[in-house]
């Protein structure tokens, strides 16, 4: 149809609607602006034929109103993602909670490495029972969290393996297979995490540590040897992080690739809820433990046997990571619960 | 990896726009404007979907595998403008059936409540 034959009101409406569509997200504009504009014009032409110029004007609030809200909603969708249906959302929640738990476990072990079974910490704990109590909450929290992950995760692993075993060994391998591109991404992430982590530790040691214990002190070693030693350390730590991430990724893809029943997936929300609770309590206990060490025994906390010489930076990093993993688990639980509640009973 | 589920129940409840688009495509493939007209006819004009909402819904339904896109071709009934045609995918058909059953069940429950007691009384009286 020749566009020049359109009545003026239709041409004006189409032009305005075209301007509105140009304000939308680029992906929507690219794929759907042309057909949307085509249908809008057709709608206006039909309305003009039936009800004249006034009829087209009456369409404006409806069509421009839904156009503006639709474009806004599309931006929000691009930014935050769509409200997902229940099954994929809970599966993703499980994977996120599993990754968060692994980070949390590493943090608890790191915290234990700092203070247990060091005798000075035990002595402080005997004088100040609340410090000892807070510490035991963190350590027992890890045990309970591990139990929740094992009891909650084993049925899913069993179901995934049972379904995959129908295809023999190849089926099981396919269940856990990770593409080379994904492995490269994991390697890049492991390297980045290691660099950030070592950078943080070195920077805090340099800023807060004593000059004699500073890692920047060369102790007469040639700079080239020091640089090589640092690179070797970086690669070893990165390799360890990569292996750990690869193992977690294997289990994650297995969960994402398996179709679980609705009831089974709903069951996953219970261990995730327990995990969130335990991780939150442990994180608060770890923060309390650090603060009380500094307020109840400041001289010990500032000493090399306590949290001095860069240990404080280490403990702050650990608590920050614990808080992050707790937030991720809480988010995963909330997202899973929301999608579960969306479904009518 | 894109997670997808073949369980139609997991996708319920549908938005009115999604449900009516599925119904509009139940009898065969249609282009966007034809879907809009069909929805207005299905609902006696009570539900009017504009082009933005229509294509946002179509975009999401294509992503979810509820519908598929056919080849672009002219609309023989209206003019020679080329149009994209859409049709129901197997999953879309199963989701539409599941949603219809869910709505029917809700309707049965609603009719059993006091909301419709006066109408029932009038019928029996």
């Amino acid at each position: 149809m020749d566009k020049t034959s359109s009545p003026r009101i239709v041409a004006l409406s189409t032009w305005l609607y075209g301007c509105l569509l140009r304000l939308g997200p680029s992906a929507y504009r690219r794929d759907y602006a042309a057909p949307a504009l085509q249908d809008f014009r057709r709608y206006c032409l039909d309305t003009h034929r039936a009800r004249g110029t006034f009829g087209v004007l009456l369409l404006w609030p409806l069509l421009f109103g839904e156009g503006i809200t639709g474009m806004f909603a599309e931006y929000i969708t691009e930014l935050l993602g769509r409200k997902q249906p229940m099954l994929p959302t809970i599966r993703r929640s499980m994977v996120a909670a599993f990754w968060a738990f692994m980070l949390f476990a590493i943090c608890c072990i790191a915290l234990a490495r700092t203070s247990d079974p060091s005798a000075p910490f035990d002595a402080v704990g005997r004088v100040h029972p609340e410090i000892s109590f807070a510490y035991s909450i963190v350590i027992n929290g890890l045990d309970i969290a591990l139990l929740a992950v094992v009891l909650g995760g084993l049925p899913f692993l069993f179901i995934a393996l049972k379904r995959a075993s129908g295809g023999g060994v190849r089926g099981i391998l396919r269940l856990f297979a990770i593409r080379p591109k994904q492995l490269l991404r994991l390697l890049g992430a492991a390297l980045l995490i290691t660099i950030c982590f070592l950078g943080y530790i070195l920077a805090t040691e340099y800023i807060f540590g004593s000059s004699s214990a500073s890692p920047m002190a060369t102790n007469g070693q040639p700079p080239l040897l020091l640089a090589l030693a640092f690179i070797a350390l970086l690669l070893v730590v990165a390799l360890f992080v990569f292996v750990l991430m690869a193992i977690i990724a294997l289990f994650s893809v297995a969960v994402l690739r398996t179709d679980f029943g609705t009831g089974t997936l709903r069951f996953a929300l219970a261990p995730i809820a327990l995990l969130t609770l335990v991780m939150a309590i442990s994180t608060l206990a770890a923060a309390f433990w650090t603060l009380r060490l500094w307020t109840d025994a400041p001289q010990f906390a500032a000493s090399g046997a306590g949290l001095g010489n860069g240990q404080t930076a280490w403990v702050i990093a650990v608590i920050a990571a614990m808080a992050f993993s707790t937030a991720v688990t809480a988010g995963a639980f909330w997202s899973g619960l929301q999608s579960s509640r969306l479904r009518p009973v | 990896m894109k997670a997808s589920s073949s369980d139609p129940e997991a996708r319920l409840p549908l938005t009115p726009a999604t449900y009516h688009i599925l119904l509009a495509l139940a009898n065969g493939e249609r282009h966007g404007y034809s879907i809009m007209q069909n929805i207005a006819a299905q609902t006696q004009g009570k539900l009017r979907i504009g082009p933005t909402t229509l294509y946002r819904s179509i975009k999401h339904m294509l992503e979810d595998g509820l519908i598929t896109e056919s080849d672009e071709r002219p609309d023989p009934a209206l003019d020679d403008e080329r149009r994209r045609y859409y049709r129901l995918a197997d999953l879309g058909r199963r989701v539409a059936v599941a949603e219809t059953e869910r709505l029917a069940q809700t309707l049965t429950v609603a009719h059993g409540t006091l909301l419709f007691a006066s109408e029932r009384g009038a019928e029996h009286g």
Side-chain angles (χ1 to χ4, degrees):
Chain A
M1 185 177 283
D2 185 9
K3 279 189 182 184
T4 54
S5 67
S6 299
R8 278 186 186 173
I9 186 65
V10 174
L12 175 66
S13 305
T14 310
W15 180 77
L16 285 173
Y17 198 72
C19 292
L20 177 63
L21 288 173
R22 274 195 286 279
L23 297 176
S26 58
Y28 181 84
R29 233 171 33 226
R30 185 192 61 229
D31 296 334
Y32 298 104
L37 193 62
Q38 191 183 32
D39 289 348
F40 176 86
R41 185 170 158 269
R42 182 88 233 169
Y43 199 0
C44 289
L45 278 172
D46 285 353
T47 307
H48 188 267
R49 212 169 287 141
R51 289 186 280 163
T53 301
F54 189 66
V56 177
L57 284 173
L58 281 179
L59 282 181
W60 280 26
L62 169 75
L63 294 180
F64 284 99
E66 72 96 30
I68 291 166
T69 51
M71 286 299 116
F72 184 70
E74 196 57 26
Y75 269 115
I76 297 287
T77 305
E78 283 214 346
L79 196 67
L80 303 176
R82 287 170 56 203
K83 191 179 268 187
Q84 292 296 320
M86 177 188 163
L87 299 183
T89 306
I90 296 187
R91 267 200 295 236
R92 274 197 293 274
S93 294
M94 285 166 62
V95 169
F98 185 53
W99 280 83
F101 165 74
M102 292 306 281
L103 176 64
F104 176 80
I106 291 168
C107 290
C108 287
I109 293 164
L111 201 66
R113 168 217 164 267
T114 307
S115 55
D116 187 54
S118 297
F121 280 94
D122 291 346
V124 172
R126 275 195 293 277
V127 178
H128 303 282
E130 73 276 11
I131 292 177
S132 174
F133 182 63
Y135 183 77
S136 63
I137 287 178
V138 178
I139 300 305
N140 289 321
L142 175 61
D143 294 339
I144 298 171
L146 181 66
L147 194 69
V149 168
V150 171
L151 290 181
L154 273 180
F156 289 93
L157 189 62
F158 176 72
I159 293 170
L161 283 172
K162 195 179 165 196
R163 299 239 164 111
S165 63
V169 179
R170 193 172 281 182
I172 292 172
L173 287 177
R174 262 205 300 270
L175 178 70
F176 291 103
I178 299 181
R179 287 199 295 270
K181 200 175 164 184
Q182 290 171 322
L183 275 177
L184 276 177
R185 275 186 194 159
L186 280 180
L187 192 61
L191 211 57
L192 190 69
I193 289 168
T194 308
I195 289 169
C196 290
F197 180 68
L198 288 182
Y200 170 80
I201 294 293
L202 287 176
T204 48
E205 282 273 339
Y206 181 69
I207 296 167
F208 302 112
S210 67
S211 57
S212 60
S214 169
M216 300 301 174
T218 57
N219 295 329
Q221 298 285 336
L224 182 66
L225 197 66
L226 281 172
L228 284 175
F230 180 72
I231 291 169
L233 176 71
L234 188 99
L235 290 179
V236 168
V237 176
L239 187 68
F240 171 74
V241 174
F242 169 70
V243 170
L244 192 69
M245 287 173 79
I247 292 169
I248 304 169
L250 289 179
F251 286 108
S252 303
V253 293
V255 167
L256 290 173
R257 281 172 187 161
T258 308
D259 269 335
F260 299 104
T262 311
T264 316
L265 279 173
R266 273 217 174 109
F267 158 77
L269 287 175
I272 296 176
L274 178 63
L275 202 57
T276 308
L277 189 68
V278 170
M279 285 164 75
I281 292 171
S282 295
T283 304
L284 288 174
F288 177 81
W289 175 81
T290 312
L291 284 174
R292 288 314 290 257
L293 261 182
W294 276 99
T295 52
D296 289 352
Q299 282 182 328
F300 167 72
S303 70
L307 297 179
N309 293 343
Q311 292 275 55
T312 304
W314 171 262
V315 170
I316 290 171
V318 163
I319 294 173
M322 284 170 82
F324 173 72
S325 59
T326 305
V328 170
T329 314
F333 173 68
W334 181 250
S335 161
L337 188 69
Q338 287 294 96
S339 69
S340 156
R341 285 164 65 185
L342 276 173
R343 191 169 175 271
V345 285
Chain B
M1 192 181 114
K2 191 181 173 183
S4 64
S5 171
S6 54
D7 181 9
E9 295 278 318
R11 298 178 182 274
L12 306 188
L14 300 178
T15 63
T18 305
Y19 182 57
H20 283 282
I21 292 170
L22 290 176
L23 289 186
L25 296 175
N27 290 332
E29 57 183 42
R30 288 177 186 275
H31 54 70
Y33 188 60
S34 168
I35 294 172
M36 281 165 61
Q37 285 179 313
N38 189 269
I39 291 172
Q42 276 173 20
T43 59
Q44 289 86 45
K46 285 179 185 139
L47 179 67
R48 285 188 181 275
I49 290 177
T52 311
T53 305
L54 175 76
Y55 284 101
R56 284 192 69 231
S57 303
I58 283 177
K59 177 175 176 260
H60 297 157
M61 290 164 80
L62 284 168
E63 285 168 2
D64 290 346
L66 299 181
I67 59 173
T68 54
E69 195 175 325
S70 311
D71 294 335
E72 194 172 308
R73 57 181 185 275
D75 178 359
L78 293 169
D79 47 46
D80 61 355
E81 283 180 278
R82 295 189 71 79
R83 291 178 183 280
R84 290 184 199 174
Y85 283 73
Y86 303 93
R87 63 164 170 257
L88 270 190
D90 180 52
L91 178 61
R93 192 171 300 279
R94 286 189 287 134
V95 167
V97 170
E99 177 69 345
T100 307
E101 283 168 357
R102 186 186 74 80
L103 290 172
Q105 196 182 357
T106 309
L107 204 61
T108 310
V109 172
H111 276 293
T113 64
L114 291 175
L115 285 173
F116 296 92
S118 55
E119 279 86 344
R120 278 200 301 273
E123 278 173 20
H124 293 300

